[in-house]
Amino acid sequence: QKEVEQNSGPLSVPEGAIASLNCTYSDRGSQSFFWYRQYSGKSPELIMFIYSNGDKEDGRFTAQLNKASQYVSLLIRDSQPSDSATYLCAVRGTGANNLFFGTGTRLTVIP
Amino acid sequence: DTAVSQTPKYLVTQMGNDKSIKCEQNLGHDTMYWYKQDSKKFLKIMFSYNNKELIINETVPNRFSPKSPDKAHLNLHINSLELGDSAVYFCASSQDFVAGSRETQYFGPGTRLLVL
């Protein structure tokens, strides 16, 4: 079983809509959760991190964490074509010194 | 003023050759990482060093050898390159590796390795 799972997509949303990206993880004791954005041919760049259950908002982005369900999501409000990229979920497992990455969800925002 | 830099950006080489990739960070971070991203975009940790000390050594062939001359540099040497080594290799760094905001990782631009 993979440590971190994401729907590979592609996920297509119209410009201005809300994009919802989901991620599940297998280690119940995981402590830290990250969302990275990766444009084609570029390196991953951090969007948000979240440690506590609930929502965390930063501009148009909201990360949601539900540790009981082992689920973390990223909402992008008012989606823009420039949001088109692959979104990587990363989780730090129990006692781990590193992050486990999902395979990413490719998002396309249609103008 | 690049935070995490890697050289070279592209590397095309023949099977059986030995090559090195260099990474430097000017963020003052204590921890550095090497990741491999395959053609399916899966990003997998290979090694991690904290203050020049190896803390993560995932299951990778021993043809791959990291070296950290100081905490701002982490190089990756690959012996006897194989076709399956073709991938993008990313270096990353973080202030620390323990849970908390200091663990946030920042990635270099990547080195695209193609083995022919």
Side-chain angles (χ1 to χ4, degrees), chain A residues 2-3 31-32 34 36 38 40-46 49 51 86 88 92 96-104, chain B residues 33 35 37 40-43 45 48 55-56 58 90 97-110 112:
Chain A
K2 288 184 183 173
E3 289 88 355
Q31 305 171 58
S32 316
F34 301 80
Y36 282 84
Q38 187 174 24
S40 181
K42 300 294 184 183
S43 58
E45 54 179 330
L46 180 72
F49 58 83
Y51 298 114
T86 297
L88 301 170
R92 179 193 179 95
N97 293 329
N98 60 287
L99 300 181
F100 292 102
F101 281 83
T103 51
Chain B
Y33 310 81
Y35 286 88
Q37 188 170 46
K40 295 183 179 176
K41 304 298 183 188
F42 182 52
L43 198 60
I45 185 75
S48 176
I55 57 169
I56 296 170
E58 290 294 305
F90 286 103
F97 64 91
V98 295
S101 61
R102 290 164 57 88
E103 67 180 307
T104 301
Q105 295 183 22
Y106 298 89
F107 284 79
R112 284 142 189 83

Side-chain angles (χ1 to χ4, degrees), chain B residues 11-93:
Chain B
L11 188 51
V12 181
T13 188
Q14 300 286 332
M15 273 176 56
N17 283 350
D18 302 338
K19 290 293 178 186
S20 292
I21 307 172
K22 295 187 175 183
C23 178
E24 177 181 2
Q25 53 93 5
N26 62 6
L27 297 167
H29 288 172
D30 287 341
T31 308
M32 296 184 73
Y33 310 81
W34 275 112
Y35 286 88
K36 178 181 180 181
Q37 188 170 46
D38 60 24
S39 57
K40 295 183 179 176
K41 304 298 183 188
F42 182 52
L43 198 60
K44 186 170 167 54
I45 185 75
M46 299 174 70
F47 302 103
S48 176
Y49 273 72
N50 179 254
N51 272 317
K52 303 196 302 175
E53 220 173 288
L54 182 66
I55 57 169
I56 296 170
N57 185 358
E58 290 294 305
T59 307
V60 300
N62 57 16
R63 299 181 293 104
F64 290 80
S65 53
K67 195 164 190 178
S68 181
D70 55 62
K71 73 174 192 177
H73 295 84
L74 180 61
N75 304 324
L76 183 65
H77 188 75
I78 316 170
N79 288 328
S80 303
L81 278 154
E82 300 178 358
L83 293 177
D85 297 333
S86 296
V88 181
Y89 292 83
F90 286 103
C91 177
S93 74

